[in-house]
Amino acid sequence: MLMVIDIGNTNVVVGLFAGHELRARWRLATARDRMPDEWWVQLNVLSQSAGFSLGEVEGIAISSVVPSLTATFQELAQRYLLVEPLIVNGAQDYGLPVRVEHPAEVGADRICNAIAAVERYGAPVIVVDFGTGTTFDVIDADGAYIGGAIAPGITIAFEALTQRAARLYTVALQAPPRAIGRNTRESLQSGTVLGYAELVRGLIRRIRSELGHEAPAIATGGLATLIAPLVPEFSAVEADLTLYGLRSAYERMHRSLGA
């Protein structure tokens, strides 16, 4: 089996693949101070409860935007599974041309999203990943990653507003019944949720205009289910796109090395 690990600022998502099939996945809180031993114990409990043994894992692929946890999971792989993990980065060649000014600066999760999106939907294609930040990744008609956009995530934006405005308070992040709020709760939900949906729609339209193609737009990430239903420009929601991209990156790298 192949273990894939997507380490984000808010969540760590772990998946187990048997061939091309995602057999199990878990979304965990990003705990930066947790030791390799603690992660190993937690993953063992989760895998056993799902009917799997981590002894079946023969390879690990990691995408990470948290350097301290990259080292933690690398040590876990080496110590407990006796494998050297693939750590995805924008400077490596996965068969996806990265045509930006500084390829090494492109987040590993964005590379994985691009790989999986092209495999599933062809090129050109746009991926919008809703996480701590919201990223827009653009693959042109030649199948090359050409850049994108980064916006504050909806949760961060909402928390900043309520923390800095003394008379505002936290409400459930859900779409209100109307854009014109009749009370503070509805007004906050309208501005945050509906307003964010329009941010996404506007950027997708601008990106398509610059591409010169009506490229399909794919939503992914932990908060995709909140915003995607409000954005008719989306062709699909792929909750596990990054995990599939990690699997593909691992397979491509091993093929190139003759492994």
Side-chain angles (χ1 to χ4, degrees):
M1 298 185 77
L2 173 68
M3 176 182 285
V4 295
I5 305 170
D6 177 32
I7 305 170
N9 287 297
T10 303
N11 293 118
V12 175
V13 184
V14 181
L16 288 177
F17 278 94
H20 292 270
E21 181 184 358
L22 181 61
R23 301 290 302 278
R25 66 182 293 279
W26 303 283
R27 182 177 293 272
L28 312 171
T30 298
R32 290 168 171 78
D33 58 349
R34 189 174 293 170
M35 304 300 291
D37 297 346
E38 296 173 286
W39 283 107
W40 174 251
V41 169
Q42 185 173 17
L43 292 176
N44 254 309
V45 171
L46 290 170
S47 62
Q48 289 172 14
S49 68
F52 300 103
S53 167
L54 293 186
E56 301 175 66
V57 174
E58 298 176 340
I60 295 182
I62 298 172
S63 72
S64 176
V65 296
V66 184
S68 61
L69 281 181
T70 306
T72 296
F73 278 94
Q74 185 173 21
E75 182 179 342
L76 180 153
Q78 294 166 339
R79 182 192 304 175
Y80 289 104
L81 295 171
L82 305 178
V83 299
E84 188 62 41
L86 170 67
I87 300 174
V88 175
N89 65 72
Q92 290 176 319
D93 181 9
Y94 305 101
L96 175 80
V98 180
R99 296 174 182 161
V100 297
E101 292 181 1
H102 305 289
E105 293 181 358
V106 180
D109 53 340
R110 304 178 74 180
I111 296 295
C112 292
N113 286 341
I115 291 171
V118 172
E119 286 186 344
R120 288 168 173 256
Y121 299 95
V125 65
I126 303 163
V127 180
V128 184
D129 191 341
F130 295 91
T132 307
T134 296
T135 56
F136 295 73
D137 296 307
V138 184
I139 298 88
D140 69 10
D142 295 327
Y145 180 92
I146 60 170
I150 304 173
I154 186 171
T155 302
I156 283 181
F158 183 60
E159 288 175 351
L161 173 63
T162 55
Q163 288 172 5
R164 290 175 177 268
R167 297 191 63 182
L168 298 181
Y169 49 85
T170 298
V171 300
L173 277 179
Q174 60 187 41
R178 60 187 72 85
I180 302 174
R182 305 294 175 83
N183 52 54
T184 301
R185 175 179 55 81
E186 288 184 356
S187 298
L188 283 167
Q189 290 173 332
S190 175
T192 304
V193 179
L194 299 185
Y196 206 86
E198 293 306 307
L199 177 155
V200 173
R201 297 190 67 189
L203 269 174
I204 290 174
R205 288 195 295 267
R206 284 177 177 267
I207 289 168
R208 283 175 172 168
S209 176
E210 292 181 19
L211 273 176
H213 294 277
E214 282 297 306
I218 314 304
T220 191
L223 296 170
T225 54
L226 172 63
I227 301 298
L230 306 172
V231 180
E233 285 78 6
F234 281 126
S235 303
V237 178
E238 293 271 4
D240 298 314
L241 192 69
T242 312
L243 301 187
Y244 280 95
L246 270 166
R247 177 191 60 78
S248 295
Y250 181 88
E251 291 182 349
R252 293 182 183 193
M253 184 58 65
H254 275 246
R255 280 199 301 268
S256 71
L257 296 174

